[in-house]
């Protein structure tokens, strides 16, 4: 039914899991500064805030990074870019990795969004839109250097260079490519991609003397300064996980600060006096007198991904373990180690010591998957994130 008083019936996601996800915006800012400090003065540190800043809340994370000094933001789509325009100041550059879909070009120009152009038809449409708008508008050109995901092929670059005026007409201010194996520093493809990128960039630069170049994501930054060019595009590192779990131990520990804390409320503490089995499938056996804590939060909240096989929960100074299968909304911990009189109200599954890096090292999941699987049902608390 129509009403003149806003949208009273808009469905808000129910916070049924009631776990509390705490996101430390000051730590995200510190991680951005840590990246920036590793770059030469002319190199910019761009922030990748696609997928709602890897699930952490782009409307909070983006402005905090802006206050830290970041001015270039990467999102995946026009929908994400519209949102970013609403929470970022006007001088923030918003670069859309998924490009402008056919028909979206006008809105890109209107909202001053920078599309990543990765096909000849997309370039054609962008040139038409620029002509219609009376002149070039900033765009980025993506070339494929070996990942074979998005980007112009070498043959398409050749074709483009037959008509170099095209490049200026499209307002190309950035040439970029993406590394396939940056998290494996010894992989030969890193060098190959670097050489192909440099060679193609040199050819384009003849016609675009001021164009900037960008190749590295978070892991790419650690391959070395040759990979930095003018702009790096970091996501993972900002959000407190190291994309190279195997190398994490060789880098200074204060390089990347943990960002997350996750507390799950205990719904029931029980003692199973006769022993038996726990949970779906009855595949976890317990001894008589085992004490269990059943917490709100399950695989619908990303806990399978998060906990992996390690499945640890912290109660004060005690470390407990998940027992039985994690179900959709509930997870069971064996708390027999705790003193008998203790009935914990909360179990912590992420904190400054139990980090996403630790969990991924033991479970084999990727930090990327863990964060983006966190689910929408936690109450979110944001800490810090002010200027300065
Ligand atoms: C997601 C993405 C990044 C960020 O990668 P991280 O490993 O999270 O730093 C950079 N560039 C492109 C093209 C991406 O899609």
């Amino acid at each position: 039914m129509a009403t003149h008083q806003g949208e009273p019936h808009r469905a808000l996601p129910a916070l049924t899991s009631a776990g509390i996800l705490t996101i430390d915006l000051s730590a995200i800012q510190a991680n951005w500064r840590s990246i920036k400090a590793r770059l030469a003065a002319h190199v910019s540190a761009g922030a990748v805030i696609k997928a709602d800043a890897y699930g952490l809340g782009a409307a909070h994370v983006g402005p905090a990074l802006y206050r830290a000094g970041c001015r270039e933001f990467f999102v995946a789509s026009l929908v994400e870019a519209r949102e970013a325009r609403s929470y970022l100041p006007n001088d923030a550059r918003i670069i859309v990795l998924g490009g402008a879909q056919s028909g979206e070009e006008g809105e890109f120009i209107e909202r001053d969004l920078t599309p990543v152009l990765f096909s000849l038809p997309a370039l054609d449409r962008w040139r038409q839109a620029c002509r219609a708008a009376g002149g070039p508008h900033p765009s980025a050109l993506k070339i494929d250097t070996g990942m074979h995901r998005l980007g112009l092929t070498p043959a398409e670059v050749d074709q483009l260079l037959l008509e170099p005026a095209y490049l200026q007409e499209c307002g190309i201010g950035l040439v970029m490519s993406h590394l396939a194996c940056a998290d494996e520093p010894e992989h030969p493809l890193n060098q190959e991609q670097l050489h192909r990128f440099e060679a193609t960039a040199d050819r384009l630069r003849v016609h675009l003397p001021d164009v900037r170049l960008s190749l590295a994501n978070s892991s790419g930054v650690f391959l070395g300064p040759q990979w930095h060019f003018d702009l790096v595009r970091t996501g993972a590192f900002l959000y407190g996980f190291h994309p190279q779990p195997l190398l994490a131990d060789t880098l200074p520990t204060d390089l990347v600060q943990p960002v997350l804390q996750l507390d799950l409320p205990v719904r029931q503490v029980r003692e199973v006096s006769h022993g038996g089995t726990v949970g779906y499938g009855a595949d976890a056996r317990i001894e008589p007198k085992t004490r269990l804590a059943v917490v709100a939060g399950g695989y619908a909240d990303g806990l399978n991904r998060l906990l992996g096989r390690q499945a640890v929960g912290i109660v004060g100074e005690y470390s407990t373990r998940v027992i039985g299968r994690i179900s959709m909304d509930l997870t069971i911990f064996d708390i027999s180690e705790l003193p008998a009189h203790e009935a914990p109200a909360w179990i912590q599954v992420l904190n400054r010591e139990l980090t996403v890096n630790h969990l991924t090292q033991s479970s084999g999941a990727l930090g990327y998957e863990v964060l983006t699987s966190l689910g929408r049902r936690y109450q979110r608390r944001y800490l810090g994130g002010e200027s300065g």
Side-chain angles (χ1 to χ4, degrees):
M1 197 169 58
T3 160
H4 295 290
Q5 292 162 9
E7 299 162 88
H9 302 298
R10 184 168 56 186
L12 292 171
L15 296 171
T16 46
S17 119
I20 299 179
L21 181 66
T22 306
I23 296 153
D24 186 346
L25 296 172
S26 296
I28 295 177
Q29 292 176 316
N31 291 337
W32 183 82
R33 292 192 190 97
S34 174
I35 282 279
K36 185 81 183 94
R38 297 182 74 87
L39 307 173
H42 77 280
V43 184
S44 303
V48 181
I49 55 168
K50 65 189 177 196
D52 200 24
Y54 293 28
L56 302 189
H60 296 267
V61 169
L65 285 166
Y66 183 93
R67 289 192 288 275
C70 182
R71 291 295 178 270
E72 291 176 278
F73 296 85
F74 292 86
V75 297
S77 64
L78 176 59
V79 171
E80 291 183 359
R82 272 182 205 142
E83 289 168 11
R85 258 292 160 254
S86 73
Y87 58 70
L88 288 173
N90 285 339
D91 65 337
R93 180 174 291 289
I94 297 169
I95 303 163
V96 184
L97 293 166
Q101 310 308 306
S102 182
E104 292 179 351
E105 292 83 1
E107 186 173 347
F108 270 70
I109 290 174
E110 205 175 295
R111 293 184 193 265
D112 189 21
L113 307 172
T114 304
V116 174
L117 307 172
F118 44 77
S119 73
L120 295 178
L123 276 150
D124 250 342
R125 296 197 313 265
W126 188 248
R127 179 167 71 165
Q128 275 172 32
C130 288
R131 282 180 174 170
H137 276 264
S139 66
L141 181 68
K142 187 158 185 190
I143 55 176
D144 179 20
T145 53
M147 183 166 177
H148 301 137
R149 195 172 62 175
L150 294 178
L152 294 193
T153 63
E156 288 170 326
V157 173
D158 290 344
Q159 205 179 324
L160 193 57
L161 284 170
L162 294 176
E163 201 190 330
Y166 217 107
L167 299 167
Q168 282 108 25
E169 277 192 275
C170 286
I172 291 168
L174 180 70
V175 171
M176 55 185 275
S177 188
H178 195 45
L179 297 166
C181 308
D183 55 349
E184 297 173 60
E186 304 303 327
H187 200 293
L189 193 52
N190 290 319
Q191 284 287 346
E192 283 172 38
Q193 289 197 271
L194 176 66
H195 293 318
R196 286 181 204 145
F197 185 64
E198 281 174 325
T200 309
D202 282 346
R203 295 175 66 207
L204 291 163
R205 253 194 309 216
V206 173
H207 309 286
L208 294 167
D210 298 325
V211 80
R212 294 161 75 224
L213 305 178
S214 176
L215 180 60
N217 63 340
S218 294
S219 315
V221 172
F222 296 95
L223 293 176
Q226 309 99 284
W227 275 265
H228 296 177
F229 295 95
D230 302 299
L231 168 67
V232 301
R233 311 183 302 266
T234 50
F237 196 97
L238 301 177
Y239 308 125
F241 66 95
H242 206 290
Q244 294 159 289
L246 298 176
L247 287 189
D249 294 338
T250 68
L251 294 164
T253 46
D254 56 356
L255 203 62
V256 56
Q257 295 194 23
V259 162
L260 294 179
Q261 182 180 309
L262 181 55
D263 296 276
L264 304 175
V266 176
R267 289 291 184 236
Q268 189 175 42
V269 171
R270 59 192 304 148
E271 186 176 296
V272 185
S273 48
H274 302 294
T277 63
V278 176
Y280 282 124
D283 51 5
R285 292 221 140 261
I286 50 171
E287 299 294 314
K289 301 225 161 159
T290 300
R291 293 181 78 225
L292 302 175
V294 183
V295 305
Y299 57 76
D301 308 293
L303 290 189
N304 264 3
R305 283 261 172 245
L306 188 66
L307 300 174
R309 276 174 283 122
Q310 191 72 345
V312 169
I314 303 296
V315 181
E317 68 209 74
Y318 296 95
S319 180
T320 68
R321 292 210 160 257
V322 168
I323 181 148
R325 291 186 202 162
I326 294 174
S327 37
M328 190 181 292
D329 311 292
L330 296 169
T331 299
I332 306 168
F333 288 84
D334 180 343
I335 57 163
S336 306
E337 297 289 300
L338 264 63
H341 60 271
E342 275 204 37
W346 296 88
I347 292 185
Q348 205 160 60
V349 297
L350 276 179
N351 61 26
R352 288 192 73 81
E353 278 77 45
L354 189 60
T355 65
V356 174
N357 284 328
H358 291 119
L359 295 173
T360 53
Q361 265 167 8
S362 56
S363 72
L366 296 175
Y368 302 93
E369 298 174 300
V370 169
L371 263 64
T372 55
S373 310
L374 276 172
R376 305 285 99 196
R377 300 194 296 178
Y378 300 118
Q379 299 179 47
R380 285 157 182 253
R381 273 200 312 158
Y382 290 91
L383 303 180
E386 286 81 27
S387 308

